[in-house]
Coordinates of all heavy atoms in Angstrom, one line a residue:
M240 N 0.8 -1.2 0.0 CA 0.0 0.0 0.0 C 0.8 1.3 0.0 O 0.4 2.2 -0.5 CB -0.9 0.0 1.2 CG -2.1 -1.0 1.2 SD -3.2 -0.6 0.0 CE -4.5 0.0 0.9
E241 N 2.0 1.2 0.7 CA 2.8 2.3 0.6 C 3.5 2.7 -0.7 O 4.0 3.8 -0.7 CB 3.8 2.2 1.9 CG 3.2 2.1 3.2 CD 4.2 2.2 4.3 OE1 5.3 2.5 4.1 OE2 3.8 1.6 5.4
D242 N 3.6 1.7 -1.5 CA 4.3 2.1 -2.7 C 3.5 2.7 -3.8 O 3.8 3.2 -4.8 CB 4.8 0.7 -3.4 CG 3.7 -0.2 -3.7 OD1 2.6 -0.1 -3.1 OD2 3.9 -1.2 -4.4
Q243 N 2.0 2.8 -3.5 CA 1.2 3.6 -4.4 C 1.3 5.1 -4.1 O 1.4 5.5 -3.1 CB -0.3 3.1 -4.2 CG -0.3 1.7 -4.7 CD -1.8 1.2 -4.4 OE1 -2.7 2.0 -3.9 NE2 -2.1 0.0 -4.7
N244 N 1.2 5.8 -5.2 CA 1.4 7.3 -5.1 C 0.0 8.0 -5.3 O -0.5 8.1 -6.3 CB 2.3 7.7 -6.3 CG 2.8 9.1 -6.1 OD1 2.7 9.6 -5.0 ND2 3.5 9.6 -7.0
Y245 N -0.7 8.4 -4.1 CA -1.9 9.0 -4.0 C -1.8 10.5 -4.1 O -0.9 11.0 -3.6 CB -2.6 8.6 -2.7 CG -3.1 7.1 -2.7 CD1 -2.5 6.2 -1.9 CD2 -4.1 6.8 -3.4 CE1 -2.8 4.9 -1.9 CE2 -4.6 5.4 -3.4 CZ -3.9 4.6 -2.7 OH -4.4 3.2 -2.6
Q246 N -2.7 11.0 -4.8 CA -2.6 12.5 -4.9 C -4.1 13.1 -4.3 O -5.0 12.4 -4.5 CB -2.5 13.1 -6.3 CG -1.1 12.8 -6.9 CD -1.1 13.2 -8.2 OE1 -1.9 13.7 -8.9 NE2 0.1 13.1 -8.9
T247 N -4.0 14.2 -3.6 CA -5.2 14.7 -3.1 C -5.9 15.6 -4.2 O -5.1 16.1 -5.2 CB -4.9 15.6 -1.9 OG1 -4.0 16.7 -2.3 CG2 -4.4 14.9 -0.7
Y248 N -7.2 15.7 -4.1 CA -7.9 16.4 -5.1 C -7.8 17.9 -4.9 O -7.9 18.3 -3.8 CB -9.4 16.0 -5.1 CG -10.2 16.9 -6.0 CD1 -10.3 16.6 -7.4 CD2 -11.2 17.8 -5.4 CE1 -11.2 17.4 -8.2 CE2 -11.9 18.5 -6.2 CZ -11.9 18.4 -7.7 OH -12.7 19.1 -8.4
T249 N -7.5 18.6 -5.9 CA -7.5 20.1 -5.7 C -8.5 20.7 -6.7 O -8.6 20.2 -7.9 CB -6.1 20.6 -6.2 OG1 -5.7 20.2 -7.6 CG2 -5.1 20.2 -5.2
E250 N -9.3 21.6 -6.1 CA -10.4 22.1 -7.0 C -9.9 23.1 -8.0 O -9.0 23.8 -7.9 CB -11.4 22.9 -6.0 CG -12.6 23.4 -6.7 CD -13.6 24.0 -5.8 OE1 -13.5 23.8 -4.6 OE2 -14.4 24.8 -6.1
A251 N -10.5 22.9 -9.3 CA -9.9 23.7 -10.3 C -10.4 25.2 -10.1 O -11.5 25.4 -9.7 CB -10.6 23.2 -11.6
Q252 N -9.6 26.0 -10.6 CA -9.9 27.5 -10.4 C -10.9 27.9 -11.6 O -10.6 27.6 -12.7 CB -8.5 28.3 -10.5 CG -7.6 28.1 -9.3 CD -8.1 28.6 -8.1 OE1 -8.9 29.5 -8.0 NE2 -7.7 28.0 -7.1
T253 N -12.0 28.5 -11.1 CA -13.0 29.0 -12.1 C -12.7 30.4 -12.3 O -12.4 31.2 -11.4 CB -14.3 28.7 -11.6 OG1 -14.5 29.4 -10.4 CG2 -14.7 27.2 -11.4
P254 N -13.0 30.9 -13.5 CA -12.8 32.3 -13.8 C -14.0 33.0 -13.0 O -15.0 32.5 -12.7 CB -12.9 32.5 -15.3 CG -13.7 31.2 -15.8 CD -13.3 30.2 -14.7
E255 N -13.6 34.3 -12.7 CA -14.6 35.1 -12.0 C -15.8 35.4 -12.9 O -15.8 35.8 -14.0 CB -13.9 36.5 -11.7 CG -14.9 37.4 -10.7 CD -14.1 38.7 -10.5 OE1 -12.9 38.6 -10.3 OE2 -14.9 39.6 -10.3
L256 N -17.0 35.0 -12.3 CA -18.1 35.1 -13.1 C -18.9 36.6 -12.9 O -18.8 37.1 -11.9 CB -19.3 34.1 -12.5 CG -18.8 32.6 -12.6 CD1 -19.9 31.7 -11.9 CD2 -18.8 32.2 -14.1
K257 N -19.1 37.1 -14.0 CA -19.8 38.4 -14.1 C -21.2 38.2 -14.5 O -21.5 37.4 -15.4 CB -19.0 39.3 -15.1 CG -17.5 39.6 -14.8 CD -16.9 40.4 -15.9 CE -15.4 40.7 -15.5 NZ -14.8 41.5 -16.5
P258 N -22.1 39.1 -13.9 CA -23.5 39.0 -14.2 C -23.7 39.4 -15.7 O -23.0 40.2 -16.2 CB -24.2 39.9 -13.3 CG -23.1 40.8 -12.8 CD -21.7 40.1 -12.9
L259 N -24.7 38.8 -16.2 CA -25.1 39.1 -17.7 C -25.6 40.5 -17.8 O -25.3 41.2 -18.7 CB -26.2 38.1 -18.2 CG -26.4 38.1 -19.6 CD1 -25.0 37.8 -20.4 CD2 -27.4 37.0 -19.9
Y260 N -26.4 40.9 -16.8 CA -27.0 42.2 -16.8 C -26.4 43.1 -15.5 O -26.3 42.4 -14.5 CB -28.5 42.2 -16.7 CG -29.1 41.5 -17.8 CD1 -29.5 40.2 -17.7 CD2 -29.1 42.0 -19.0 CE1 -30.2 39.5 -18.7 CE2 -29.8 41.4 -20.2 CZ -30.3 40.2 -20.0 OH -30.8 39.4 -21.0
S261 N -26.1 44.3 -15.7 CA -25.6 45.0 -14.6 C -26.7 45.5 -13.6 O -26.5 45.6 -12.4 CB -24.9 46.4 -15.1 OG -25.8 47.1 -15.9
E262 N -28.0 45.6 -14.1 CA -29.1 45.9 -13.2 C -29.9 44.7 -13.0 O -30.4 44.0 -13.9 CB -29.9 47.0 -13.9 CG -31.0 47.6 -13.0 CD -31.7 48.7 -13.6 OE1 -31.2 49.5 -14.4 OE2 -32.9 48.8 -13.3
Q263 N -30.2 44.4 -11.6 CA -31.1 43.4 -11.4 C -32.5 43.6 -11.8 O -33.1 44.8 -11.6 CB -31.0 43.0 -9.8 CG -29.7 42.6 -9.3 CD -29.3 41.2 -9.8 OE1 -30.2 40.4 -10.2 NE2 -28.0 41.0 -10.1
P264 N -33.2 42.6 -12.3 CA -34.7 42.8 -12.6 C -35.5 43.0 -11.4 O -35.3 42.3 -10.4 CB -35.0 41.6 -13.4 CG -34.0 40.5 -13.1 CD -32.8 41.3 -12.7
K265 N -36.5 43.8 -11.5 CA -37.4 44.2 -10.3 C -38.4 43.0 -10.3 O -39.1 42.6 -11.3 CB -38.1 45.5 -10.5 CG -37.0 46.5 -10.4 CD -37.7 47.9 -10.4 CE -36.7 49.0 -10.4 NZ -37.3 50.3 -10.5
K266 N -38.6 42.5 -9.1 CA -39.6 41.4 -8.9 C -41.0 42.2 -8.7 O -41.1 43.2 -7.9 CB -39.3 40.5 -7.8 CG -38.2 39.6 -8.0 CD -38.0 38.7 -6.9 CE -36.7 37.9 -7.2 NZ -36.4 36.9 -6.1
K267 N -42.0 41.7 -9.2 CA -43.3 42.2 -9.0 C -43.8 41.8 -7.6 O -43.7 40.6 -7.2 CB -44.4 41.8 -10.0 CG -44.1 42.3 -11.4 CD -45.2 42.0 -12.4 CE -44.9 42.5 -13.7 NZ -46.1 42.2 -14.8
S268 N -44.4 42.7 -6.8 CA -44.8 42.4 -5.6 C -46.4 42.2 -5.5 O -47.1 43.0 -6.0 CB -44.4 43.6 -4.6 OG -45.0 43.3 -3.4
N269 N -46.8 41.0 -5.0 CA -48.2 40.8 -4.9 C -48.8 40.9 -3.5 O -49.8 40.4 -3.1 CB -48.4 39.3 -5.4 CG -48.2 39.2 -6.9 OD1 -48.3 40.2 -7.6 ND2 -47.9 38.1 -7.4
T270 N -48.0 41.5 -2.6 CA -48.3 41.6 -1.2 C -49.7 42.4 -1.0 O -50.4 42.1 -0.2 CB -47.2 42.1 -0.3 OG1 -46.8 43.3 -0.9 CG2 -46.1 41.1 -0.3
W271 N -49.8 43.5 -1.8 CA -50.9 44.3 -1.7 C -52.2 43.7 -2.0 O -53.2 43.8 -1.5 CB -50.7 45.6 -2.4 CG -49.7 46.4 -1.8 CD1 -48.4 46.8 -2.4 CD2 -49.7 47.2 -0.6 NE1 -47.8 47.6 -1.6 CE2 -48.5 48.0 -0.5 CE3 -50.7 47.3 0.4 CZ2 -48.2 48.7 0.6 CZ3 -50.4 48.1 1.5 CH2 -49.2 48.7 1.7
W272 N -52.1 42.8 -3.1 CA -53.3 42.1 -3.5 C -53.7 41.1 -2.4 O -54.8 40.8 -2.1 CB -53.1 41.4 -4.7 CG -53.1 42.3 -6.0 CD1 -52.1 42.8 -6.7 CD2 -54.3 42.9 -6.6 NE1 -52.5 43.6 -7.7 CE2 -53.9 43.8 -7.6 CE3 -55.7 42.9 -6.1 CZ2 -54.8 44.5 -8.4 CZ3 -56.5 43.6 -7.0 CH2 -56.1 44.4 -8.0
I273 N -52.7 40.5 -1.8 CA -52.9 39.4 -0.7 C -53.6 40.1 0.4 O -54.5 39.6 1.0 CB -51.8 38.7 -0.4 CG1 -51.2 37.9 -1.7 CG2 -51.8 37.8 0.8 CD1 -49.9 37.2 -1.4
I274 N -53.0 41.3 0.9 CA -53.5 41.9 1.9 C -54.9 42.3 1.7 O -55.9 42.3 2.6 CB -52.6 43.2 2.3 CG1 -51.2 42.6 2.9 CG2 -53.3 44.1 3.3 CD1 -50.3 43.7 3.0
L275 N -55.3 43.0 0.4 CA -56.6 43.4 0.1 C -57.6 42.3 0.2 O -58.7 42.3 0.7 CB -56.6 44.0 -1.2 CG -57.8 44.6 -1.7 CD1 -58.4 45.6 -0.9 CD2 -57.8 45.0 -3.2
L276 N -57.2 41.1 -0.4 CA -58.1 40.0 -0.4 C -58.3 39.5 1.0 O -59.5 39.0 1.3 CB -57.5 38.9 -1.3 CG -57.5 39.1 -2.8 CD1 -56.8 38.1 -3.5 CD2 -58.9 39.3 -3.3
V277 N -57.3 39.5 1.9 CA -57.6 39.0 3.3 C -58.5 39.9 4.1 O -59.4 39.5 4.7 CB -56.3 38.8 4.0 CG1 -56.4 38.7 5.5 CG2 -55.4 37.7 3.5
V278 N -58.3 41.2 3.7 CA -59.3 42.2 4.4 C -60.6 42.1 4.0 O -61.6 42.0 4.8 CB -58.8 43.8 4.3 CG1 -59.8 44.7 4.5 CG2 -57.4 43.9 5.0
L279 N -60.8 41.9 2.6 CA -62.2 41.7 2.1 C -62.8 40.4 2.6 O -64.0 40.3 2.9 CB -62.2 41.6 0.6 CG -61.9 43.0 -0.1 CD1 -61.7 42.8 -1.6 CD2 -63.1 43.9 0.2
L280 N -62.0 39.4 2.8 CA -62.5 38.1 3.3 C -63.0 38.3 4.8 O -64.0 37.8 5.1 CB -61.4 37.0 3.3 CG -61.8 35.7 3.8 CD1 -62.9 35.0 2.9 CD2 -60.6 34.7 3.9
V281 N -62.1 38.9 5.6 CA -62.6 39.2 6.9 C -63.9 40.0 7.0 O -64.8 39.7 7.8 CB -61.4 39.9 7.7 CG1 -61.9 40.4 9.0 CG2 -60.3 38.9 7.9
L282 N -64.0 41.0 6.2 CA -65.1 41.9 6.2 C -66.4 41.1 5.7 O -67.5 41.2 6.3 CB -65.0 43.1 5.2 CG -64.1 44.2 5.8 CD1 -63.9 45.3 4.7 CD2 -64.6 44.8 7.0
C283 N -66.3 40.2 4.7 CA -67.4 39.4 4.3 C -67.7 38.4 5.4 O -69.0 38.2 5.7 CB -67.0 38.7 3.0 SG -66.9 39.8 1.7
C284 N -66.9 37.9 6.0 CA -67.2 36.9 7.2 C -67.9 37.6 8.3 O -68.8 37.1 8.8 CB -65.9 36.3 7.7 SG -65.1 35.0 6.6
C285 N -67.5 38.9 8.6 CA -68.1 39.7 9.6 C -69.6 39.9 9.2 O -70.5 39.9 10.1 CB -67.4 40.9 9.9 SG -65.9 40.7 10.7
V286 N -69.8 40.4 8.0 CA -71.2 40.6 7.5 C -72.0 39.4 7.6 O -73.2 39.4 8.0 CB -71.1 41.1 6.1 CG1 -72.5 41.3 5.5 CG2 -70.6 42.6 6.2
V287 N -71.5 38.3 7.2 CA -72.3 37.0 7.1 C -72.6 36.5 8.5 O -73.7 36.1 8.8 CB -71.4 35.9 6.3 CG1 -72.2 34.5 6.5 CG2 -71.5 36.2 4.8
I288 N -71.7 36.6 9.5 CA -71.8 36.2 10.9 C -72.8 37.1 11.5 O -73.8 36.7 12.2 CB -70.5 36.1 11.6 CG1 -69.6 35.1 11.1 CG2 -70.8 36.0 13.1 CD1 -68.2 35.1 11.7
G289 N -72.8 38.4 11.2 CA -73.8 39.4 11.7 C -75.2 39.1 11.3 O -76.1 39.0 12.0
G290 N -75.3 38.8 9.9 CA -76.6 38.4 9.3 C -77.2 37.2 10.0 O -78.4 37.1 10.3
V291 N -76.3 36.2 10.2 CA -76.9 34.9 10.8 C -77.3 35.1 12.3 O -78.4 34.6 12.6 CB -75.7 33.8 10.7 CG1 -76.2 32.6 11.5 CG2 -75.5 33.5 9.2
V292 N -76.5 36.0 13.0 CA -77.0 36.3 14.4 C -78.3 37.0 14.4 O -79.2 36.6 15.2 CB -75.9 37.0 15.0 CG1 -76.4 37.6 16.4 CG2 -74.6 36.2 15.3
V293 N -78.4 38.0 13.5 CA -79.8 38.7 13.5 C -80.9 37.9 13.0 O -82.0 37.9 13.6 CB -79.6 40.0 12.5 CG1 -80.9 40.6 12.2 CG2 -78.6 41.0 13.2
F294 N -80.6 37.0 12.1 CA -81.6 36.0 11.5 C -82.1 35.1 12.8 O -83.3 34.9 12.9 CB -81.0 35.2 10.4 CG -82.0 34.0 10.0 CD1 -83.2 34.5 9.3 CD2 -81.8 32.7 10.4 CE1 -84.0 33.4 8.9 CE2 -82.7 31.8 9.9 CZ -83.8 32.1 9.2
F295 N -81.2 34.6 13.5 CA -81.5 33.7 14.6 C -82.3 34.5 15.8 O -83.1 33.9 16.4 CB -80.3 32.8 15.0 CG -80.1 31.7 14.2 CD1 -78.8 31.7 13.5 CD2 -81.0 30.6 14.1 CE1 -78.5 30.6 12.7 CE2 -80.6 29.6 13.3 CZ -79.4 29.6 12.6
M296 N -81.8 35.7 15.9 CA -82.5 36.5 17.0 C -83.9 36.7 16.6 O -84.8 36.6 17.4 CB -81.7 37.8 17.2 CG -80.5 37.6 17.9 SD -79.5 39.2 18.1 CE -80.6 40.2 19.0
L297 N -84.2 37.1 15.3 CA -85.5 37.4 14.8 C -86.4 36.1 14.7 O -87.5 36.1 15.0 CB -85.5 38.0 13.4 CG -84.9 39.4 13.4 CD1 -84.8 39.9 12.0 CD2 -85.8 40.3 14.2
A298 N -85.6 34.9 14.4 CA -86.3 33.7 14.2 C -86.8 33.1 15.7 O -87.8 32.4 15.7 CB -85.5 32.6 13.5
S299 N -86.1 33.5 16.7 CA -86.5 33.1 18.0 C -87.8 33.6 18.5 O -88.5 33.0 19.3 CB -85.4 33.2 19.0 OG -85.3 34.7 19.2
G300 N -88.2 34.8 17.9 CA -89.5 35.3 18.3 C -89.3 36.3 19.6 O -90.2 37.0 19.9
Q301 N -88.3 36.4 20.2 CA -88.1 37.3 21.3 C -87.7 38.6 20.9 O -87.8 39.6 21.6 CB -86.9 36.8 22.2 CG -87.2 35.3 22.8 CD -86.1 34.9 23.7 OE1 -85.1 35.5 23.8 NE2 -86.4 33.8 24.5
Y302 N -87.2 38.8 19.6 CA -86.8 40.1 19.1 C -87.6 40.4 17.8 O -88.1 39.5 17.1 CB -85.3 40.1 18.7 CG -84.4 39.9 20.0 CD1 -84.0 38.6 20.3 CD2 -84.1 40.9 20.8 CE1 -83.2 38.4 21.4 CE2 -83.3 40.6 21.9 CZ -82.8 39.4 22.2 OH -82.1 39.1 23.3
R303 N -87.9 41.7 17.5 CA -88.4 42.2 16.3 C -87.9 43.4 16.0 O -87.2 44.1 16.7 CB -90.0 42.3 16.4 CG -90.4 43.3 17.4 CD -92.0 43.3 17.6 NE -92.3 44.3 18.4 CZ -92.6 45.6 18.2 NH1 -92.6 45.9 16.9 NH2 -93.0 46.4 19.1
I304 N -88.0 43.7 14.6 CA -87.5 44.9 14.0 C -88.5 46.0 14.0 O -89.7 45.8 13.6 CB -87.0 44.7 12.6 CG1 -85.8 43.7 12.6 CG2 -86.5 46.0 12.0 CD1 -85.4 43.4 11.2
D305 N -88.2 47.1 14.7 CA -89.1 48.2 14.8 C -88.7 49.2 13.6 O -87.8 49.9 13.6 CB -88.9 49.0 16.0 CG -90.0 50.1 16.2 OD1 -90.9 50.2 15.4 OD2 -89.9 50.9 17.2
W306 N -89.5 49.0 12.5 CA -89.2 49.7 11.2 C -89.4 51.2 11.4 O -89.0 52.0 10.5 CB -90.1 49.2 10.0 CG -89.7 47.7 9.8 CD1 -90.4 46.7 10.1 CD2 -88.6 47.3 9.1 NE1 -89.8 45.5 9.7 CE2 -88.7 45.9 9.1 CE3 -87.4 47.9 8.6 CZ2 -87.6 45.1 8.4 CZ3 -86.5 47.2 8.1 CH2 -86.5 45.8 7.9
S307 N -90.2 51.7 12.4 CA -90.4 53.1 12.5 C -89.1 53.8 13.0 O -89.1 55.1 12.7 CB -91.5 53.4 13.6 OG -91.1 52.9 14.9
M308 N -88.2 53.1 13.5 CA -86.9 53.7 14.0 C -86.0 53.9 12.8 O -85.0 54.6 12.9 CB -86.3 52.9 15.1 CG -87.0 52.9 16.3 SD -87.3 54.6 17.0 CE -85.6 54.9 17.5
L309 N -86.3 53.3 11.6 CA -85.4 53.4 10.5 C -85.3 54.7 9.9 O -84.3 55.2 9.4 CB -85.9 52.3 9.4 CG -84.9 52.0 8.3 CD1 -83.6 51.5 8.8 CD2 -85.5 51.1 7.3
G310 N -86.4 55.5 9.9 CA -86.4 56.8 9.4 C -85.4 57.8 10.1 O -84.6 58.5 9.3
P311 N -85.5 57.9 11.5 CA -84.6 58.8 12.1 C -83.1 58.4 12.0 O -82.3 59.1 11.9 CB -85.1 58.7 13.5 CG -86.4 58.2 13.5 CD -86.6 57.4 12.2
I312 N -82.9 57.1 11.9 CA -81.6 56.6 11.7 C -81.0 56.9 10.4 O -79.8 57.4 10.2 CB -81.4 55.1 12.0 CG1 -81.7 54.8 13.5 CG2 -80.2 54.5 11.6 CD1 -81.9 53.3 13.7
L313 N -81.8 56.9 9.4 CA -81.4 57.2 8.0 C -81.2 58.7 7.8 O -80.5 59.2 6.9 CB -82.2 56.6 7.0 CG -82.3 55.0 6.8 CD1 -83.2 54.6 5.8 CD2 -80.8 54.6 6.5
S314 N -81.9 59.5 8.6 CA -81.9 60.9 8.5 C -80.5 61.4 8.8 O -80.1 62.5 8.5 CB -83.0 61.6 9.3 OG -82.7 61.5 10.7
F315 N -79.7 60.8 9.6 CA -78.4 61.1 10.1 C -77.5 60.9 8.9 O -76.3 61.6 8.9 CB -77.9 60.3 11.3 CG -78.6 60.7 12.6 CD1 -79.3 59.8 13.3 CD2 -78.4 62.0 13.1 CE1 -80.0 60.2 14.5 CE2 -79.0 62.3 14.3 CZ -79.8 61.4 14.9
L316 N -77.8 60.1 8.1 CA -76.9 59.9 6.8 C -77.1 61.0 5.8 O -76.3 61.5 5.1 CB -77.1 58.6 6.2 CG -76.9 57.4 7.1 CD1 -77.3 56.1 6.3 CD2 -75.5 57.2 7.5

C-alpha cells in the first residue's frame, strides 16, 4: 500500500463570473393584493356572521325589528 502514489484532489480554479446584466430585474410584488383579499375576506365573514346572528334572533321570536326607527336613523346619513 505504501508504494502507491496517491494525490489529493485540488479544486480547479474557475474564472470570476460576471453577471449578464448590470441591473437586477425588479420582482413584482403581490403583497398588496394578498392583504386586500384578506381584508375583504374578513369583512365578508363579519357581515355573514352578523346576518346569521340577526336572523336567529328574529327567528327566536323574542326580538323584532321596529321599522319606525329606520327613518330617524337614516336621516343622520
